[in-house]
Amino acid sequence: MALYGRKILAAGRCVVSFWSTAIRTRQILIRLPSVIRRNWISVGISSGLCAVPFVQDRVSHEALIRRASSLVTDSANTFLSQTTLALVDSLTQYTKAVHTLISLHRRYVVNINRLNPADESAIWQVILNQREELLRYREDCKQFETKWMNAVNLTQLAAEAAFNAGADQASVTAQTNLQLAQTHVEQARQRSLEAEQELKDSKAEVSQRLQNTSPAVEGNEEEIPEAYLRED
């Protein structure tokens, strides 16, 4: 008997909730134009697939899909542009860091016997700092490479979707932007690969600290330029 009473109470609550929702919906519909009100009802019946009412009598589904696909390509183009800029910039900075390390190490090796212990220690510390910076740039390149590949895949899908929806101009724009992005990245990547080969040949990243094999001669030491002591 108690179970039956709880079922009756639950059913009553459902009826009250449904009736309250119906009253609020009716109040909203009264304030809407008749054409939009008719379409709002149809959208609500189909489980709320769209939160914004539209007028089916004036805009076709095909036109709405084309418009939506164009918006998707715009977003994909923005994502691709930002990730391309980040990746190219990180590759460029990485390439500069490689060349800086190679230059520092080369001068260190050439002048090792002309440096006093304090200068030699200071320059070696600069080399170690440059190696750490190189690793940071390398890690940045890997992270931005992953984001850029996601942007490339998204742009390809957006371009295909726009083409299938009949938004030909949006599809062409997305494909053009994709080709430009790939060209810029490939150029930056090629420069970084060439720099990495030079780094490998120079052994500047893996070499050990050298020791003076002869004492520095006073008055015959080569002056170390200030640029040599800078990381950049």
Side-chain angles (χ1 to χ4, degrees):
M1 189 69 177
L3 179 60
Y4 178 77
R6 286 196 297 270
K7 289 183 178 180
I8 293 297
L9 179 61
R13 290 176 178 175
C14 292
V15 170
V16 171
S17 175
F18 176 79
W19 183 252
S20 299
T21 302
I23 292 175
R24 287 195 300 270
T25 303
R26 186 172 183 274
Q27 292 174 346
I28 294 173
L29 291 177
I30 291 175
R31 294 193 296 267
L32 294 176
S34 59
V35 177
I36 296 180
R37 184 163 62 240
R38 183 173 61 255
N39 289 281
W40 182 292
I41 295 174
S42 65
V43 172
I45 292 175
S46 55
S47 302
L49 294 179
C50 180
V52 180
F54 56 86
V55 182
Q56 294 177 348
D57 296 340
R58 298 181 182 179
V59 183
S60 66
H61 288 299
E62 289 79 6
L64 291 172
I65 292 174
R66 284 195 300 271
R67 185 183 306 170
S69 65
S70 297
L71 293 176
V72 170
T73 56
D74 289 342
S75 299
N77 288 334
T78 301
F79 185 31
L80 179 64
S81 176
Q82 293 299 323
T83 54
T84 300
L85 178 62
L87 179 56
V88 170
D89 183 63
S90 63
L91 287 171
T92 301
Q93 295 300 323
Y94 172 71
T95 302
K96 291 180 179 179
V98 169
H99 287 304
T100 300
L101 178 58
I102 293 174
S103 178
L104 283 171
H105 185 265
R106 183 182 296 118
R107 292 178 64 87
Y108 172 76
V109 172
V110 170
N111 294 282
I112 182 63
N113 294 326
R114 302 178 182 181
L115 299 171
N116 59 50
D119 290 339
E120 186 274 336
S121 178
I123 294 173
W124 181 252
Q125 187 59 47
V126 172
I127 292 176
L128 293 180
N129 293 339
Q130 187 64 27
R131 287 180 177 178
E132 293 179 358
E133 183 175 340
L134 185 68
L135 293 177
R136 289 195 297 269
Y137 281 127
R138 186 177 292 163
E139 187 63 27
D140 288 343
C141 289
K142 292 180 181 179
Q143 294 180 2
F144 287 126
E145 178 84 21
T146 300
K147 292 180 174 61
W148 183 75
M149 288 303 302
N150 291 335
V152 168
N153 295 332
L154 179 62
T155 303
Q156 290 174 338
L157 291 174
E160 182 179 354
F163 177 79
N164 293 333
D168 296 341
Q169 184 60 45
S171 177
V172 170
T173 300
Q175 293 175 3
T176 301
N177 291 339
L178 180 58
Q179 293 175 356
L180 290 175
Q182 291 173 329
T183 299
H184 289 309
V185 169
E186 184 59 32
Q187 292 174 350
R189 186 184 288 137
Q190 183 61 35
R191 290 191 293 268
S192 69
L193 291 176
E194 293 173 356
E196 282 187 337
Q197 184 60 47
E198 295 180 17
L199 179 65
K200 182 179 179 180
D201 295 339
S202 69
K203 297 182 174 58
E205 190 177 9
V206 297
S207 67
Q208 301 296 319
R209 185 173 180 176
L210 302 177
Q211 298 294 330
N212 289 340
T213 58
S214 62
V217 180
E218 185 177 356
N220 192 34
E221 295 183 8
E222 180 180 346
E223 183 180 356
I224 305 302
E226 181 183 355
Y228 177 44
L229 300 178
R230 296 203 311 255
E231 294 185 24
D232 55 349

